[in-house]
Amino acid sequence: MKRLQHLALIAFSFGLLASCTSVRVVSDYDQKANFNTYKSYAFYKTGIDKAQISDLDKKRILRAIEAELSSRGFVKSDNPDVLISIFTKERERVDVYNNYGWGWGGFYSPWAWGPGWGWGWGVGNNVSTRTEGSLYIDVIDADKKELVWQGRGVGTLNNTSNIEKKEQRIKEFVSQILEEYPPQMTVASN
């Protein structure tokens, strides 16, 4: 019985960790854009200046975008094919869990009240808050000045004072968003 409880706790912990680190990504694009012609980029300063995050986090995001695009053969240019812009949003998310059920005392159980040994009925609410953030990455055709691709990543932002963890989380967001770029366009057959 104890082994089963231990395994359940480990499985729950892994599930919790996985849910905290995941980034949900969606993207959209202009089907008429020829993504094969885009080889160079520059950052769209006007759009980036409007992003409501610290200048340090903007730098982290831009460095992560540079690394991703560079790894795909894109070059930064004064006469770019596309302009890259970012936009951010964040919101506080409140989760309320109603816990009803039987529990076994003597170890931590969200289903049982108080310490002690033996079976018992437990009722209670757990409330947690977290900051959920969205990072948008826009790709704009530099000649036409039109948005041709947009990727959005949504995930939990870990408010941490550990700079390495913060940088890693930003790289993860950017990497997963840009995984969708360029879009895999299907060619219609006649």
Side-chain angles (χ1 to χ4, degrees), residues 41 43 56-72 76 84 86 135 137 166-179:
Y41 72 96
F43 289 113
L56 292 171
D57 283 341
K58 284 180 192 177
K59 285 180 187 179
R60 290 179 181 107
I61 292 169
L62 298 180
R63 281 194 301 261
I65 292 171
E66 281 181 347
E68 280 294 318
L69 292 177
S70 171
S71 73
R72 297 163 187 227
K76 201 169 181 181
I84 307 294
I86 62 169
L135 171 62
I137 300 176
K166 182 184 257 191
E167 293 230 8
Q168 187 58 40
R169 185 65 174 155
I170 288 172
K171 287 178 185 175
E172 179 184 341
F173 255 74
V174 169
S175 174
Q176 289 187 25
I177 294 168
L178 288 178
E179 219 172 78

PDB file of all heavy atoms in Angstrom, residues 41 43 56-72 76 84 86 135 137 166-179:
ATOM      1  N   TYR A  41      16.364  39.478 -41.863  1.00  0.00           N
ATOM      2  CA  TYR A  41      15.414  40.094 -40.939  1.00  0.00           C
ATOM      3  C   TYR A  41      16.053  41.277 -40.220  1.00  0.00           C
ATOM      4  O   TYR A  41      17.284  41.431 -40.184  1.00  0.00           O
ATOM      5  CB  TYR A  41      14.918  39.074 -39.911  1.00  0.00           C
ATOM      6  CG  TYR A  41      15.972  38.707 -38.885  1.00  0.00           C
ATOM      7  CD1 TYR A  41      16.008  39.356 -37.657  1.00  0.00           C
ATOM      8  CD2 TYR A  41      16.935  37.752 -39.157  1.00  0.00           C
ATOM      9  CE1 TYR A  41      16.988  39.049 -36.727  1.00  0.00           C
ATOM     10  CE2 TYR A  41      17.901  37.431 -38.235  1.00  0.00           C
ATOM     11  CZ  TYR A  41      17.929  38.084 -37.021  1.00  0.00           C
ATOM     12  OH  TYR A  41      18.898  37.790 -36.104  1.00  0.00           O
ATOM     13  N   PHE A  43      14.772  43.799 -36.537  1.00  0.00           N
ATOM     14  CA  PHE A  43      13.743  43.975 -35.522  1.00  0.00           C
ATOM     15  C   PHE A  43      12.979  45.271 -35.781  1.00  0.00           C
ATOM     16  O   PHE A  43      13.554  46.279 -36.172  1.00  0.00           O
ATOM     17  CB  PHE A  43      14.353  43.979 -34.123  1.00  0.00           C
ATOM     18  CG  PHE A  43      14.846  42.624 -33.712  1.00  0.00           C
ATOM     19  CD1 PHE A  43      16.197  42.388 -33.534  1.00  0.00           C
ATOM     20  CD2 PHE A  43      13.970  41.579 -33.530  1.00  0.00           C
ATOM     21  CE1 PHE A  43      16.654  41.145 -33.167  1.00  0.00           C
ATOM     22  CE2 PHE A  43      14.405  40.313 -33.174  1.00  0.00           C
ATOM     23  CZ  PHE A  43      15.757  40.107 -32.983  1.00  0.00           C
ATOM     24  N   LEU A  56      15.209  44.572 -19.907  1.00  0.00           N
ATOM     25  CA  LEU A  56      16.074  43.395 -19.789  1.00  0.00           C
ATOM     26  C   LEU A  56      15.402  42.158 -20.382  1.00  0.00           C
ATOM     27  O   LEU A  56      16.037  41.377 -21.096  1.00  0.00           O
ATOM     28  CB  LEU A  56      16.453  43.151 -18.325  1.00  0.00           C
ATOM     29  CG  LEU A  56      17.376  44.204 -17.709  1.00  0.00           C
ATOM     30  CD1 LEU A  56      17.503  43.979 -16.212  1.00  0.00           C
ATOM     31  CD2 LEU A  56      18.727  44.199 -18.383  1.00  0.00           C
ATOM     32  N   ASP A  57      14.110  41.987 -20.099  1.00  0.00           N
ATOM     33  CA  ASP A  57      13.399  40.848 -20.676  1.00  0.00           C
ATOM     34  C   ASP A  57      13.251  40.993 -22.186  1.00  0.00           C
ATOM     35  O   ASP A  57      13.307  40.008 -22.924  1.00  0.00           O
ATOM     36  CB  ASP A  57      12.033  40.649 -20.013  1.00  0.00           C
ATOM     37  CG  ASP A  57      12.151  39.990 -18.644  1.00  0.00           C
ATOM     38  OD1 ASP A  57      13.202  39.373 -18.367  1.00  0.00           O
ATOM     39  OD2 ASP A  57      11.201  40.087 -17.854  1.00  0.00           O
ATOM     40  N   LYS A  58      13.076  42.233 -22.675  1.00  0.00           N
ATOM     41  CA  LYS A  58      13.036  42.448 -24.130  1.00  0.00           C
ATOM     42  C   LYS A  58      14.344  41.985 -24.757  1.00  0.00           C
ATOM     43  O   LYS A  58      14.340  41.293 -25.782  1.00  0.00           O
ATOM     44  CB  LYS A  58      12.809  43.925 -24.461  1.00  0.00           C
ATOM     45  CG  LYS A  58      11.402  44.402 -24.275  1.00  0.00           C
ATOM     46  CD  LYS A  58      11.287  45.872 -24.619  1.00  0.00           C
ATOM     47  CE  LYS A  58       9.956  46.422 -24.148  1.00  0.00           C
ATOM     48  NZ  LYS A  58       9.827  47.863 -24.404  1.00  0.00           N
ATOM     49  N   LYS A  59      15.464  42.354 -24.133  1.00  0.00           N
ATOM     50  CA  LYS A  59      16.767  41.933 -24.655  1.00  0.00           C
ATOM     51  C   LYS A  59      16.879  40.414 -24.667  1.00  0.00           C
ATOM     52  O   LYS A  59      17.397  39.829 -25.622  1.00  0.00           O
ATOM     53  CB  LYS A  59      17.898  42.522 -23.806  1.00  0.00           C
ATOM     54  CG  LYS A  59      18.142  43.983 -24.028  1.00  0.00           C
ATOM     55  CD  LYS A  59      19.294  44.447 -23.138  1.00  0.00           C
ATOM     56  CE  LYS A  59      19.477  45.939 -23.199  1.00  0.00           C
ATOM     57  NZ  LYS A  59      20.564  46.401 -22.328  1.00  0.00           N
ATOM     58  N   ARG A  60      16.407  39.780 -23.616  1.00  0.00           N
ATOM     59  CA  ARG A  60      16.466  38.314 -23.549  1.00  0.00           C
ATOM     60  C   ARG A  60      15.642  37.682 -24.677  1.00  0.00           C
ATOM     61  O   ARG A  60      16.067  36.730 -25.313  1.00  0.00           O
ATOM     62  CB  ARG A  60      15.965  37.834 -22.188  1.00  0.00           C
ATOM     63  CG  ARG A  60      16.883  38.153 -21.052  1.00  0.00           C
ATOM     64  CD  ARG A  60      16.325  37.677 -19.708  1.00  0.00           C
ATOM     65  NE  ARG A  60      17.240  38.021 -18.651  1.00  0.00           N
ATOM     66  CZ  ARG A  60      17.027  38.990 -17.754  1.00  0.00           C
ATOM     67  NH1 ARG A  60      15.891  39.680 -17.776  1.00  0.00           N
ATOM     68  NH2 ARG A  60      17.922  39.253 -16.827  1.00  0.00           N
ATOM     69  N   ILE A  61      14.462  38.225 -24.907  1.00  0.00           N
ATOM     70  CA  ILE A  61      13.594  37.695 -25.964  1.00  0.00           C
ATOM     71  C   ILE A  61      14.241  37.902 -27.329  1.00  0.00           C
ATOM     72  O   ILE A  61      14.277  36.983 -28.150  1.00  0.00           O
ATOM     73  CB  ILE A  61      12.194  38.358 -25.909  1.00  0.00           C
ATOM     74  CG1 ILE A  61      11.454  37.911 -24.649  1.00  0.00           C
ATOM     75  CG2 ILE A  61      11.383  38.030 -27.157  1.00  0.00           C
ATOM     76  CD1 ILE A  61      10.190  38.699 -24.353  1.00  0.00           C
ATOM     77  N   LEU A  62      14.765  39.102 -27.575  1.00  0.00           N
ATOM     78  CA  LEU A  62      15.381  39.390 -28.871  1.00  0.00           C
ATOM     79  C   LEU A  62      16.619  38.527 -29.111  1.00  0.00           C
ATOM     80  O   LEU A  62      16.831  38.043 -30.226  1.00  0.00           O
ATOM     81  CB  LEU A  62      15.710  40.877 -28.986  1.00  0.00           C
ATOM     82  CG  LEU A  62      14.500  41.824 -28.920  1.00  0.00           C
ATOM     83  CD1 LEU A  62      14.938  43.272 -29.054  1.00  0.00           C
ATOM     84  CD2 LEU A  62      13.449  41.466 -29.947  1.00  0.00           C
ATOM     85  N   ARG A  63      17.418  38.304 -28.072  1.00  0.00           N
ATOM     86  CA  ARG A  63      18.590  37.417 -28.218  1.00  0.00           C
ATOM     87  C   ARG A  63      18.145  35.991 -28.548  1.00  0.00           C
ATOM     88  O   ARG A  63      18.760  35.311 -29.367  1.00  0.00           O
ATOM     89  CB  ARG A  63      19.444  37.429 -26.956  1.00  0.00           C
ATOM     90  CG  ARG A  63      20.348  38.634 -26.833  1.00  0.00           C
ATOM     91  CD  ARG A  63      21.412  38.443 -25.767  1.00  0.00           C
ATOM     92  NE  ARG A  63      20.874  38.184 -24.450  1.00  0.00           N
ATOM     93  CZ  ARG A  63      20.742  39.089 -23.496  1.00  0.00           C
ATOM     94  NH1 ARG A  63      21.106  40.340 -23.714  1.00  0.00           N
ATOM     95  NH2 ARG A  63      20.256  38.765 -22.323  1.00  0.00           N
ATOM     96  N   ALA A  64      17.068  35.543 -27.909  1.00  0.00           N
ATOM     97  CA  ALA A  64      16.558  34.191 -28.176  1.00  0.00           C
ATOM     98  C   ALA A  64      16.039  34.087 -29.613  1.00  0.00           C
ATOM     99  O   ALA A  64      16.264  33.078 -30.286  1.00  0.00           O
ATOM    100  CB  ALA A  64      15.464  33.824 -27.175  1.00  0.00           C
ATOM    101  N   ILE A  65      15.360  35.127 -30.082  1.00  0.00           N
ATOM    102  CA  ILE A  65      14.869  35.133 -31.466  1.00  0.00           C
ATOM    103  C   ILE A  65      16.048  35.130 -32.432  1.00  0.00           C
ATOM    104  O   ILE A  65      16.052  34.376 -33.416  1.00  0.00           O
ATOM    105  CB  ILE A  65      13.942  36.351 -31.722  1.00  0.00           C
ATOM    106  CG1 ILE A  65      12.634  36.194 -30.939  1.00  0.00           C
ATOM    107  CG2 ILE A  65      13.654  36.513 -33.210  1.00  0.00           C
ATOM    108  CD1 ILE A  65      11.746  37.436 -30.954  1.00  0.00           C
ATOM    109  N   GLU A  66      17.061  35.960 -32.167  1.00  0.00           N
ATOM    110  CA  GLU A  66      18.258  35.991 -33.018  1.00  0.00           C
ATOM    111  C   GLU A  66      18.897  34.613 -33.118  1.00  0.00           C
ATOM    112  O   GLU A  66      19.263  34.164 -34.209  1.00  0.00           O
ATOM    113  CB  GLU A  66      19.287  36.987 -32.472  1.00  0.00           C
ATOM    114  CG  GLU A  66      18.996  38.412 -32.793  1.00  0.00           C
ATOM    115  CD  GLU A  66      20.073  39.358 -32.252  1.00  0.00           C
ATOM    116  OE1 GLU A  66      20.922  38.950 -31.428  1.00  0.00           O
ATOM    117  OE2 GLU A  66      20.053  40.529 -32.657  1.00  0.00           O
ATOM    118  N   ALA A  67      19.032  33.941 -31.981  1.00  0.00           N
ATOM    119  CA  ALA A  67      19.654  32.610 -31.967  1.00  0.00           C
ATOM    120  C   ALA A  67      18.833  31.614 -32.790  1.00  0.00           C
ATOM    121  O   ALA A  67      19.396  30.832 -33.566  1.00  0.00           O
ATOM    122  CB  ALA A  67      19.817  32.120 -30.530  1.00  0.00           C
ATOM    123  N   GLU A  68      17.515  31.645 -32.628  1.00  0.00           N
ATOM    124  CA  GLU A  68      16.652  30.719 -33.378  1.00  0.00           C
ATOM    125  C   GLU A  68      16.725  30.982 -34.880  1.00  0.00           C
ATOM    126  O   GLU A  68      16.857  30.058 -35.674  1.00  0.00           O
ATOM    127  CB  GLU A  68      15.195  30.839 -32.910  1.00  0.00           C
ATOM    128  CG  GLU A  68      14.880  30.116 -31.635  1.00  0.00           C
ATOM    129  CD  GLU A  68      14.984  28.611 -31.762  1.00  0.00           C
ATOM    130  OE1 GLU A  68      14.536  28.024 -32.772  1.00  0.00           O
ATOM    131  OE2 GLU A  68      15.534  28.005 -30.822  1.00  0.00           O
ATOM    132  N   LEU A  69      16.601  32.245 -35.271  1.00  0.00           N
ATOM    133  CA  LEU A  69      16.626  32.575 -36.697  1.00  0.00           C
ATOM    134  C   LEU A  69      18.000  32.292 -37.307  1.00  0.00           C
ATOM    135  O   LEU A  69      18.092  31.788 -38.426  1.00  0.00           O
ATOM    136  CB  LEU A  69      16.213  34.032 -36.922  1.00  0.00           C
ATOM    137  CG  LEU A  69      14.754  34.365 -36.614  1.00  0.00           C
ATOM    138  CD1 LEU A  69      14.478  35.854 -36.817  1.00  0.00           C
ATOM    139  CD2 LEU A  69      13.796  33.520 -37.436  1.00  0.00           C
ATOM    140  N   SER A  70      19.048  32.596 -36.582  1.00  0.00           N
ATOM    141  CA  SER A  70      20.404  32.332 -37.062  1.00  0.00           C
ATOM    142  C   SER A  70      20.617  30.840 -37.287  1.00  0.00           C
ATOM    143  O   SER A  70      21.228  30.433 -38.277  1.00  0.00           O
ATOM    144  CB  SER A  70      21.409  32.873 -36.049  1.00  0.00           C
ATOM    145  OG  SER A  70      22.698  32.475 -36.358  1.00  0.00           O
ATOM    146  N   SER A  71      20.097  30.021 -36.389  1.00  0.00           N
ATOM    147  CA  SER A  71      20.255  28.563 -36.524  1.00  0.00           C
ATOM    148  C   SER A  71      19.517  28.020 -37.751  1.00  0.00           C
ATOM    149  O   SER A  71      19.794  26.925 -38.203  1.00  0.00           O
ATOM    150  CB  SER A  71      19.764  27.848 -35.264  1.00  0.00           C
ATOM    151  OG  SER A  71      18.352  27.880 -35.181  1.00  0.00           O
ATOM    152  N   ARG A  72      18.600  28.817 -38.297  1.00  0.00           N
ATOM    153  CA  ARG A  72      17.841  28.417 -39.492  1.00  0.00           C
ATOM    154  C   ARG A  72      18.359  29.076 -40.765  1.00  0.00           C
ATOM    155  O   ARG A  72      17.727  28.986 -41.810  1.00  0.00           O
ATOM    156  CB  ARG A  72      16.373  28.775 -39.314  1.00  0.00           C
ATOM    157  CG  ARG A  72      15.736  28.037 -38.170  1.00  0.00           C
ATOM    158  CD  ARG A  72      14.461  28.719 -37.788  1.00  0.00           C
ATOM    159  NE  ARG A  72      13.937  28.116 -36.592  1.00  0.00           N
ATOM    160  CZ  ARG A  72      12.691  27.759 -36.444  1.00  0.00           C
ATOM    161  NH1 ARG A  72      11.831  27.962 -37.412  1.00  0.00           N
ATOM    162  NH2 ARG A  72      12.289  27.216 -35.338  1.00  0.00           N
ATOM    163  N   LYS A  76      20.732  38.827 -40.065  1.00  0.00           N
ATOM    164  CA  LYS A  76      20.260  40.143 -39.683  1.00  0.00           C
ATOM    165  C   LYS A  76      20.776  41.133 -40.722  1.00  0.00           C
ATOM    166  O   LYS A  76      21.916  41.041 -41.159  1.00  0.00           O
ATOM    167  CB  LYS A  76      20.798  40.481 -38.292  1.00  0.00           C
ATOM    168  CG  LYS A  76      20.038  41.531 -37.574  1.00  0.00           C
ATOM    169  CD  LYS A  76      20.488  41.604 -36.128  1.00  0.00           C
ATOM    170  CE  LYS A  76      19.704  42.660 -35.399  1.00  0.00           C
ATOM    171  NZ  LYS A  76      20.136  42.771 -34.017  1.00  0.00           N
ATOM    172  N   ILE A  84      10.741  41.741 -37.580  1.00  0.00           N
ATOM    173  CA  ILE A  84      10.277  40.934 -36.460  1.00  0.00           C
ATOM    174  C   ILE A  84       9.843  41.869 -35.343  1.00  0.00           C
ATOM    175  O   ILE A  84      10.591  42.758 -34.938  1.00  0.00           O
ATOM    176  CB  ILE A  84      11.402  40.007 -35.933  1.00  0.00           C
ATOM    177  CG1 ILE A  84      12.009  39.172 -37.056  1.00  0.00           C
ATOM    178  CG2 ILE A  84      10.888  39.152 -34.778  1.00  0.00           C
ATOM    179  CD1 ILE A  84      11.088  38.161 -37.676  1.00  0.00           C
ATOM    180  N   ILE A  86       7.521  41.987 -31.434  1.00  0.00           N
ATOM    181  CA  ILE A  86       6.979  41.179 -30.338  1.00  0.00           C
ATOM    182  C   ILE A  86       5.897  41.972 -29.621  1.00  0.00           C
ATOM    183  O   ILE A  86       5.841  43.198 -29.687  1.00  0.00           O
ATOM    184  CB  ILE A  86       8.065  40.747 -29.323  1.00  0.00           C
ATOM    185  CG1 ILE A  86       8.705  41.974 -28.657  1.00  0.00           C
ATOM    186  CG2 ILE A  86       9.089  39.856 -29.974  1.00  0.00           C
ATOM    187  CD1 ILE A  86       9.583  41.640 -27.468  1.00  0.00           C
ATOM    188  N   LEU A 135       3.364  35.498 -25.277  1.00  0.00           N
ATOM    189  CA  LEU A 135       4.363  36.166 -26.094  1.00  0.00           C
ATOM    190  C   LEU A 135       3.958  35.979 -27.542  1.00  0.00           C
ATOM    191  O   LEU A 135       3.779  34.855 -28.005  1.00  0.00           O
ATOM    192  CB  LEU A 135       5.757  35.571 -25.861  1.00  0.00           C
ATOM    193  CG  LEU A 135       6.857  36.048 -26.823  1.00  0.00           C
ATOM    194  CD1 LEU A 135       7.081  37.548 -26.689  1.00  0.00           C
ATOM    195  CD2 LEU A 135       8.144  35.277 -26.578  1.00  0.00           C
ATOM    196  N   ILE A 137       5.022  36.704 -31.480  1.00  0.00           N
ATOM    197  CA  ILE A 137       6.110  37.045 -32.378  1.00  0.00           C
ATOM    198  C   ILE A 137       5.484  37.262 -33.750  1.00  0.00           C
ATOM    199  O   ILE A 137       4.844  36.364 -34.289  1.00  0.00           O
ATOM    200  CB  ILE A 137       7.188  35.944 -32.432  1.00  0.00           C
ATOM    201  CG1 ILE A 137       7.794  35.727 -31.037  1.00  0.00           C
ATOM    202  CG2 ILE A 137       8.266  36.312 -33.450  1.00  0.00           C
ATOM    203  CD1 ILE A 137       8.799  34.600 -30.960  1.00  0.00           C
ATOM    204  N   LYS A 166      15.280  32.213 -15.623  1.00  0.00           N
ATOM    205  CA  LYS A 166      14.458  33.148 -16.393  1.00  0.00           C
ATOM    206  C   LYS A 166      14.877  33.117 -17.866  1.00  0.00           C
ATOM    207  O   LYS A 166      14.044  33.045 -18.756  1.00  0.00           O
ATOM    208  CB  LYS A 166      14.611  34.558 -15.834  1.00  0.00           C
ATOM    209  CG  LYS A 166      13.750  35.589 -16.546  1.00  0.00           C
ATOM    210  CD  LYS A 166      14.012  36.978 -16.015  1.00  0.00           C
ATOM    211  CE  LYS A 166      12.886  37.352 -15.106  1.00  0.00           C
ATOM    212  NZ  LYS A 166      12.905  38.764 -14.726  1.00  0.00           N
ATOM    213  N   GLU A 167      16.192  33.163 -18.118  1.00  0.00           N
ATOM    214  CA  GLU A 167      16.683  33.116 -19.504  1.00  0.00           C
ATOM    215  C   GLU A 167      16.278  31.823 -20.182  1.00  0.00           C
ATOM    216  O   GLU A 167      15.865  31.818 -21.341  1.00  0.00           O
ATOM    217  CB  GLU A 167      18.208  33.279 -19.539  1.00  0.00           C
ATOM    218  CG  GLU A 167      18.635  34.644 -19.093  1.00  0.00           C
ATOM    219  CD  GLU A 167      19.591  35.310 -20.035  1.00  0.00           C
ATOM    220  OE1 GLU A 167      19.837  34.808 -21.140  1.00  0.00           O
ATOM    221  OE2 GLU A 167      20.085  36.383 -19.648  1.00  0.00           O
ATOM    222  N   GLN A 168      16.372  30.718 -19.451  1.00  0.00           N
ATOM    223  CA  GLN A 168      16.006  29.419 -20.015  1.00  0.00           C
ATOM    224  C   GLN A 168      14.527  29.370 -20.358  1.00  0.00           C
ATOM    225  O   GLN A 168      14.146  28.848 -21.397  1.00  0.00           O
ATOM    226  CB  GLN A 168      16.371  28.289 -19.038  1.00  0.00           C
ATOM    227  CG  GLN A 168      16.176  26.917 -19.600  1.00  0.00           C
ATOM    228  CD  GLN A 168      16.982  26.696 -20.877  1.00  0.00           C
ATOM    229  OE1 GLN A 168      18.129  27.119 -20.995  1.00  0.00           O
ATOM    230  NE2 GLN A 168      16.377  26.046 -21.854  1.00  0.00           N
ATOM    231  N   ARG A 169      13.685  29.930 -19.500  1.00  0.00           N
ATOM    232  CA  ARG A 169      12.235  29.938 -19.750  1.00  0.00           C
ATOM    233  C   ARG A 169      11.906  30.779 -20.988  1.00  0.00           C
ATOM    234  O   ARG A 169      11.075  30.388 -21.805  1.00  0.00           O
ATOM    235  CB  ARG A 169      11.506  30.485 -18.517  1.00  0.00           C
ATOM    236  CG  ARG A 169      10.004  30.431 -18.634  1.00  0.00           C
ATOM    237  CD  ARG A 169       9.503  29.021 -18.702  1.00  0.00           C
ATOM    238  NE  ARG A 169       8.053  29.019 -18.672  1.00  0.00           N
ATOM    239  CZ  ARG A 169       7.315  28.065 -19.165  1.00  0.00           C
ATOM    240  NH1 ARG A 169       7.874  27.015 -19.718  1.00  0.00           N
ATOM    241  NH2 ARG A 169       6.013  28.127 -19.112  1.00  0.00           N
ATOM    242  N   ILE A 170      12.578  31.912 -21.144  1.00  0.00           N
ATOM    243  CA  ILE A 170      12.346  32.763 -22.312  1.00  0.00           C
ATOM    244  C   ILE A 170      12.794  32.041 -23.579  1.00  0.00           C
ATOM    245  O   ILE A 170      12.095  32.047 -24.588  1.00  0.00           O
ATOM    246  CB  ILE A 170      13.044  34.128 -22.133  1.00  0.00           C
ATOM    247  CG1 ILE A 170      12.275  34.945 -21.090  1.00  0.00           C
ATOM    248  CG2 ILE A 170      13.145  34.873 -23.455  1.00  0.00           C
ATOM    249  CD1 ILE A 170      12.939  36.238 -20.665  1.00  0.00           C
ATOM    250  N   LYS A 171      13.946  31.382 -23.525  1.00  0.00           N
ATOM    251  CA  LYS A 171      14.430  30.622 -24.688  1.00  0.00           C
ATOM    252  C   LYS A 171      13.448  29.521 -25.060  1.00  0.00           C
ATOM    253  O   LYS A 171      13.203  29.267 -26.233  1.00  0.00           O
ATOM    254  CB  LYS A 171      15.805  30.011 -24.399  1.00  0.00           C
ATOM    255  CG  LYS A 171      16.924  31.001 -24.391  1.00  0.00           C
ATOM    256  CD  LYS A 171      18.234  30.328 -24.039  1.00  0.00           C
ATOM    257  CE  LYS A 171      19.355  31.334 -23.911  1.00  0.00           C
ATOM    258  NZ  LYS A 171      20.602  30.702 -23.450  1.00  0.00           N
ATOM    259  N   GLU A 172      12.879  28.877 -24.043  1.00  0.00           N
ATOM    260  CA  GLU A 172      11.890  27.818 -24.278  1.00  0.00           C
ATOM    261  C   GLU A 172      10.648  28.379 -24.978  1.00  0.00           C
ATOM    262  O   GLU A 172      10.155  27.794 -25.938  1.00  0.00           O
ATOM    263  CB  GLU A 172      11.507  27.189 -22.936  1.00  0.00           C
ATOM    264  CG  GLU A 172      10.489  26.094 -23.026  1.00  0.00           C
ATOM    265  CD  GLU A 172      10.073  25.590 -21.646  1.00  0.00           C
ATOM    266  OE1 GLU A 172      10.801  25.815 -20.663  1.00  0.00           O
ATOM    267  OE2 GLU A 172       8.998  24.976 -21.564  1.00  0.00           O
ATOM    268  N   PHE A 173      10.142  29.522 -24.498  1.00  0.00           N
ATOM    269  CA  PHE A 173       8.990  30.168 -25.130  1.00  0.00           C
ATOM    270  C   PHE A 173       9.286  30.446 -26.597  1.00  0.00           C
ATOM    271  O   PHE A 173       8.520  30.068 -27.481  1.00  0.00           O
ATOM    272  CB  PHE A 173       8.681  31.504 -24.427  1.00  0.00           C
ATOM    273  CG  PHE A 173       7.478  31.484 -23.520  1.00  0.00           C
ATOM    274  CD1 PHE A 173       7.529  30.858 -22.291  1.00  0.00           C
ATOM    275  CD2 PHE A 173       6.305  32.105 -23.893  1.00  0.00           C
ATOM    276  CE1 PHE A 173       6.436  30.853 -21.454  1.00  0.00           C
ATOM    277  CE2 PHE A 173       5.195  32.106 -23.062  1.00  0.00           C
ATOM    278  CZ  PHE A 173       5.266  31.473 -21.843  1.00  0.00           C
ATOM    279  N   VAL A 174      10.405  31.138 -26.856  1.00  0.00           N
ATOM    280  CA  VAL A 174      10.747  31.548 -28.220  1.00  0.00           C
ATOM    281  C   VAL A 174      10.951  30.340 -29.119  1.00  0.00           C
ATOM    282  O   VAL A 174      10.434  30.286 -30.245  1.00  0.00           O
ATOM    283  CB  VAL A 174      11.990  32.465 -28.212  1.00  0.00           C
ATOM    284  CG1 VAL A 174      12.523  32.687 -29.614  1.00  0.00           C
ATOM    285  CG2 VAL A 174      11.653  33.801 -27.546  1.00  0.00           C
ATOM    286  N   SER A 175      11.674  29.358 -28.632  1.00  0.00           N
ATOM    287  CA  SER A 175      11.961  28.164 -29.431  1.00  0.00           C
ATOM    288  C   SER A 175      10.678  27.448 -29.839  1.00  0.00           C
ATOM    289  O   SER A 175      10.512  27.057 -30.996  1.00  0.00           O
ATOM    290  CB  SER A 175      12.868  27.225 -28.643  1.00  0.00           C
ATOM    291  OG  SER A 175      13.040  26.020 -29.324  1.00  0.00           O
ATOM    292  N   GLN A 176       9.768  27.277 -28.889  1.00  0.00           N
ATOM    293  CA  GLN A 176       8.530  26.558 -29.195  1.00  0.00           C
ATOM    294  C   GLN A 176       7.624  27.356 -30.124  1.00  0.00           C
ATOM    295  O   GLN A 176       6.933  26.787 -30.960  1.00  0.00           O
ATOM    296  CB  GLN A 176       7.825  26.159 -27.912  1.00  0.00           C
ATOM    297  CG  GLN A 176       8.587  25.062 -27.198  1.00  0.00           C
ATOM    298  CD  GLN A 176       7.845  24.517 -25.997  1.00  0.00           C
ATOM    299  OE1 GLN A 176       6.628  24.584 -25.913  1.00  0.00           O
ATOM    300  NE2 GLN A 176       8.589  23.960 -25.057  1.00  0.00           N
ATOM    301  N   ILE A 177       7.632  28.671 -30.003  1.00  0.00           N
ATOM    302  CA  ILE A 177       6.820  29.491 -30.915  1.00  0.00           C
ATOM    303  C   ILE A 177       7.389  29.408 -32.324  1.00  0.00           C
ATOM    304  O   ILE A 177       6.665  29.159 -33.287  1.00  0.00           O
ATOM    305  CB  ILE A 177       6.767  30.963 -30.446  1.00  0.00           C
ATOM    306  CG1 ILE A 177       6.017  31.075 -29.120  1.00  0.00           C
ATOM    307  CG2 ILE A 177       6.102  31.839 -31.506  1.00  0.00           C
ATOM    308  CD1 ILE A 177       6.169  32.427 -28.440  1.00  0.00           C
ATOM    309  N   LEU A 178       8.692  29.604 -32.451  1.00  0.00           N
ATOM    310  CA  LEU A 178       9.305  29.630 -33.776  1.00  0.00           C
ATOM    311  C   LEU A 178       9.437  28.243 -34.402  1.00  0.00           C
ATOM    312  O   LEU A 178       9.795  28.137 -35.577  1.00  0.00           O
ATOM    313  CB  LEU A 178      10.664  30.339 -33.722  1.00  0.00           C
ATOM    314  CG  LEU A 178      10.563  31.858 -33.525  1.00  0.00           C
ATOM    315  CD1 LEU A 178      11.944  32.481 -33.424  1.00  0.00           C
ATOM    316  CD2 LEU A 178       9.763  32.508 -34.643  1.00  0.00           C
ATOM    317  N   GLU A 179       9.125  27.209 -33.650  1.00  0.00           N
ATOM    318  CA  GLU A 179       9.061  25.859 -34.223  1.00  0.00           C
ATOM    319  C   GLU A 179       8.022  25.816 -35.350  1.00  0.00           C
ATOM    320  O   GLU A 179       8.119  25.021 -36.269  1.00  0.00           O
ATOM    321  CB  GLU A 179       8.671  24.865 -33.117  1.00  0.00           C
ATOM    322  CG  GLU A 179       9.383  23.563 -33.177  1.00  0.00           C
ATOM    323  CD  GLU A 179       9.078  22.750 -31.931  1.00  0.00           C
ATOM    324  OE1 GLU A 179       7.974  22.168 -31.859  1.00  0.00           O
ATOM    325  OE2 GLU A 179       9.929  22.706 -31.039  1.00  0.00           O
TER     326      GLU A 179
END
